[in-house]
């Protein structure tokens, strides 16, 4: 069996329907149960449902042969895995956001984010010194309460920014979900992985 790590939550729903269209997973993946392992005996794939930020960890360590993960996580954690396919779903943007009209002062810019490496690389490339404030979620709160000047975060619909009276100040890069593979699995389970990749590639809409 091929073991596949899938993200739960917002991205998961899109991945499940793409897999279903590709002939994998079936309707069982979309069932909102608390079960973390779903086996599909027809396509011979066992799915692990994990936190989006943990998908690449399962794949890196070989507990899962393949997985679907956001490019944001790949850029942030740079796991030693193969990136096989851009699925063109879960499309969002990595941005700098803050209060409308925010202009940096001469003080060191305080940046709150759950992507410290992406933020550091972005400002390093501009030779800008920053103070990084690493958070785990609800990043939009930081500039509102004065914890930071700006945030580096992903924006999908923009509704979280809008609800918190924040705006996009700078675009960093576009983000989408990727099919990834463990390096050893890619060699030893190549036929099954290629079959999955081909089936998913047919469902990618550009
Ligand atoms: C992400 C991101 C933003 C939000 C953007 O957070 O960090 O907060 O989604 O989406 P939107 O543009 O569609 O509003 P997530 O939902 O993962 O929750 P978190 O704050 O717990 O990280």
């Amino acid at each position: 069996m091929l073991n596949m790590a899938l993200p739960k939550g917002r991205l998961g729903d899109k991945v499940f329907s793409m897999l279903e269209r590709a002939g994998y997973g079936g309707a069982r993946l979309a069932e909102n149960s608390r079960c973390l392992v779903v086996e599909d005996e027809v396509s011979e794939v066992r799915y692990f449902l994990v936190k989006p930020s943990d998908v690449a960890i399962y794949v890196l360590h070989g507990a899962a042969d393949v997985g679907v993960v956001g490019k944001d996580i790949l850029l942030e954690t740079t796991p030693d895995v193969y990136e096989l396919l851009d699925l063109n779903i879960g499309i969002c943007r990595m941005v700098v956001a803050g209060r409308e009209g925010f202009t940096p002062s001469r003080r060191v810019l305080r940046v709150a984010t759950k992507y410290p490496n992406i933020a550091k690389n972005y400002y390093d490339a501009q030779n800008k010194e920053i103070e990084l404030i690493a958070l785990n979620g609800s990043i939009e709160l930081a500039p509102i309460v004065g914890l930071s000047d700006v945030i580096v975060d992903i924006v999908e619909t923009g509704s979280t920014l809008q609800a918190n009276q924040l705006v996009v100040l700078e675009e960093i890069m576009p983000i989408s979900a990727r099919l990834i593979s463990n390096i050893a699995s890619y060699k030893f389970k190549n036929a099954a992985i290629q079959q999955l990749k081909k089936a998913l590639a047919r469902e990618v809409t550009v």
Side-chain angles (χ1 to χ4, degrees):
M1 271 214 160
L2 198 65
N3 293 313
M4 183 172 199
L6 295 178
K8 290 192 290 187
R10 196 167 11 173
L11 176 59
D13 298 339
K14 293 170 185 144
V15 178
F16 301 162
S17 59
M18 189 169 186
L19 278 165
E20 199 174 346
R21 290 197 308 275
Y24 284 83
R28 289 197 53 204
L29 271 177
E31 278 172 22
N32 217 353
S33 84
R34 302 290 293 173
C35 200
L36 302 176
V37 181
V38 177
E39 275 189 20
D40 178 5
E41 274 144 31
V42 181
S43 53
E44 296 186 320
V45 184
R46 186 186 294 122
Y47 302 93
F48 306 145
L49 303 175
V50 306
K51 264 185 84 108
S53 52
D54 288 343
V55 166
I57 298 171
Y58 281 82
V59 175
L60 173 67
H61 293 281
D65 302 302
V66 289
V68 173
V69 62
K71 183 69 177 174
D72 52 329
I73 310 288
L74 294 178
L75 289 166
E76 179 60 27
T77 62
T78 57
D80 199 7
V81 297
Y82 291 140
E83 190 181 314
L84 302 180
L85 183 67
D86 182 350
L87 298 174
N88 209 28
I89 55 171
I91 292 172
C92 45
R93 301 173 292 153
M94 184 67 64
V95 304
V96 178
R99 288 172 182 277
E100 187 150 27
F102 170 79
T103 43
S105 66
R106 270 183 296 170
R107 238 182 28 184
V108 172
L109 188 72
R110 295 169 306 154
V111 181
T113 186
K114 53 185 172 186
Y115 301 98
N117 292 321
I118 292 175
K120 186 176 180 313
N121 291 341
Y122 178 69
Y123 286 105
D124 275 357
Q126 303 172 36
N127 275 322
K128 277 191 194 157
E129 197 192 335
I130 59 163
E131 181 191 337
L132 266 175
I133 300 162
L135 296 175
N136 296 302
S138 303
I139 314 297
E140 291 82 359
L141 185 61
I144 297 171
V145 298
L147 176 63
S148 74
D149 300 311
V150 296
I151 61 173
V152 165
D153 201 9
I154 48 169
V155 175
E156 188 177 10
T157 62
S159 49
T160 312
L161 286 184
Q162 201 181 7
N164 293 288
Q165 288 95 48
L166 299 175
V167 294
V168 173
L169 300 171
E170 294 163 46
E171 303 268 347
I172 301 181
M173 67 186 95
I175 300 290
S176 58
R178 310 294 161 105
L179 176 67
I180 58 168
S181 165
N182 173 271
I183 288 174
S185 302
Y186 190 73
K187 193 170 172 189
F188 295 111
K189 297 191 181 180
N190 193 267
I193 292 174
Q194 291 299 349
Q195 197 182 337
L196 172 70
K197 181 185 164 185
K198 265 191 205 154
L200 284 171
R202 278 195 292 269
E203 299 306 321
V204 173
T205 47
V206 188

